[in-house]
Amino acid sequence: LSVAVPLGLGLYASFGALRSGASEWHTRLRKPRYNPPHSALMPLFALVLALEGIAAFLVSNEMILARHTPELVAVRAGQLGLGFYWLQLTFLIFWPALLAFGPSLKLALANVTVAMLFQLAAMVEFFRLTVAGGMLMLLCFFVISALTAWNAALIQTRSGVLPL
């Protein structure tokens, strides 16, 4: 369930964002040189959400079993971490749809930035419980950071300033 829910929501959001109208807009967009291929965005987004789901599963397991951390710390860190995780997931799910429709590039950037802040807070709490869960969130944080930089570059190229 920890993996299926975020993966299902991510695929649904990605497929919705890749409808023909959105795809046509994306292919006509002036992009930076390091632009990822359009066909790679959905699998990458799905992979990130699946890895985050696995991290959430590891944290919830440690929260329940409390094998490596004191029980009170495990419960508090687990509740905070999973709360931040679900908040960032909520923002992240809307990012492909906001990104897919041209006039809202700045809104998409604001959305993914807020998601990254919640993801960072979740990662810190995940590390308190399990290194594996924290490392998975760290990997996802780097991928989302790169996608955020790409989103910002789309805004720059749209305004006529081409990034290096």
Side-chain angles (χ1 to χ4, degrees):
L1 197 59
S2 292
V3 176
V5 169
L7 184 59
L9 288 172
L11 287 174
Y12 176 75
S14 296
F15 276 121
L18 292 175
R19 289 191 308 260
S20 62
S23 295
E24 290 172 19
W25 172 83
H26 184 266
T27 54
R28 288 191 323 252
L29 186 64
R30 200 170 144 201
K31 300 175 199 75
R33 283 182 282 174
Y34 54 85
N35 184 62
H38 186 68
S39 59
L41 291 177
M42 189 175 64
L44 182 63
F45 193 63
L47 176 67
V48 165
L49 293 176
L51 291 175
E52 286 183 352
I54 293 168
F57 172 76
L58 293 172
V59 165
S60 60
N61 248 8
E62 182 61 30
M63 192 172 109
I64 293 168
L65 300 176
R67 286 182 286 199
H68 304 293
T69 52
E71 189 173 339
L72 184 61
V73 172
V75 170
R76 282 216 176 121
Q79 287 173 342
L80 271 174
L82 290 173
F84 288 137
Y85 163 75
W86 286 107
L87 280 171
Q88 70 90 28
L89 184 65
T90 302
F91 280 95
L92 206 53
I93 290 301
F94 291 109
W95 182 67
L98 291 172
L99 186 64
F101 302 104
S104 58
L105 278 175
K106 290 181 181 176
L107 183 59
L109 180 61
N111 180 353
V112 76
T113 303
V114 170
M116 280 181 56
L117 293 174
F118 283 126
Q119 188 179 40
L120 184 63
M123 180 181 60
V124 168
E125 296 301 323
F126 281 20
F127 266 118
R128 290 181 66 195
L129 285 171
T130 170
V131 173
M135 290 302 286
L136 285 173
M137 286 298 280
L138 181 63
L139 175 64
C140 295
F141 183 78
F142 286 141
V143 172
I144 296 299
S145 297
L147 290 174
T148 303
W150 171 71
N151 190 162
L154 287 177
I155 293 171
Q156 286 182 346
T157 56
R158 191 147 192 233
S159 65
V161 179
L162 282 174
L164 299 174

